[in-house]
Amino acid sequence: MTRARTLMDARAQSHSNAELNWWIFMRVSGLILIFLVLGHIYMTFIQVSDSDATYHAVVAKLSNPAWKLYDWLILTLTMLHGMNGARYVMEDYIRSNPNRAWVKMVVFSVAALIYALGTVGLFSI
């Protein structure tokens, strides 16, 4: 079965309301991530000269709670978007239910660990 490309197709194919909500989330979060990441690239690599890109400059920037929130939003949306995409791939290509459950458990556990380490690292500065 191919994935839905329009909202009407998604409604017809979704087995539950949660699946439809995840389908909408993928479109909205992808669009938001484009602007967040482009803004991050601009502010990190274009607006700041090479001589100003030091550890102390990054620490000074992250002392502002707004920057921490901005970076944490990128981290959160990226992890949710990526793990939902990985879930789609696992559901499509792993046919055995027990194998799919084990693979999901391992992948989601590693993702949760990476997310936790990223959050702790971001907010400990």
Side-chain angles (χ1 to χ4, degrees):
M1 177 169 83
T2 60
R3 294 282 172 197
R5 294 184 185 269
T6 66
L7 183 59
M8 299 305 276
D9 291 344
R11 281 188 181 143
Q13 290 180 7
S14 64
H15 298 28
S16 68
N17 203 27
E19 278 300 316
L20 180 61
N21 291 337
W22 277 116
W23 186 89
I24 293 169
F25 169 79
M26 290 297 279
R27 273 74 189 158
V28 172
S29 67
L31 187 63
I32 292 170
L33 276 169
I34 288 171
F35 292 107
L36 286 175
V37 170
L38 287 176
H40 181 78
I41 289 171
Y42 174 76
M43 290 179 275
T44 304
F45 298 111
I46 297 172
Q47 193 176 25
V48 177
S49 67
D50 289 341
S51 62
D52 293 336
T54 63
Y55 173 78
H56 298 292
V58 171
V59 169
K61 180 178 118 177
L62 288 177
S63 65
N64 183 348
W67 282 114
K68 286 184 181 183
L69 180 64
Y70 186 84
D71 287 345
W72 184 77
L73 187 60
I74 292 174
L75 173 69
T76 302
L77 280 177
T78 303
M79 291 301 292
L80 283 172
H81 188 91
M83 285 302 96
N84 194 41
R87 182 182 65 88
Y88 284 158
V89 170
M90 289 182 272
E91 301 234 347
D92 284 345
Y93 290 105
I94 302 173
R95 298 289 181 205
S96 168
N97 283 337
N99 289 347
R100 187 181 321 134
W102 279 105
V103 171
K104 280 184 178 181
M105 184 180 68
V106 170
V107 170
F108 292 158
S109 297
V110 170
L113 178 66
I114 291 170
Y115 179 72
L117 290 174
T119 300
V120 168
L122 182 63
F123 287 103
S124 66
I125 293 178

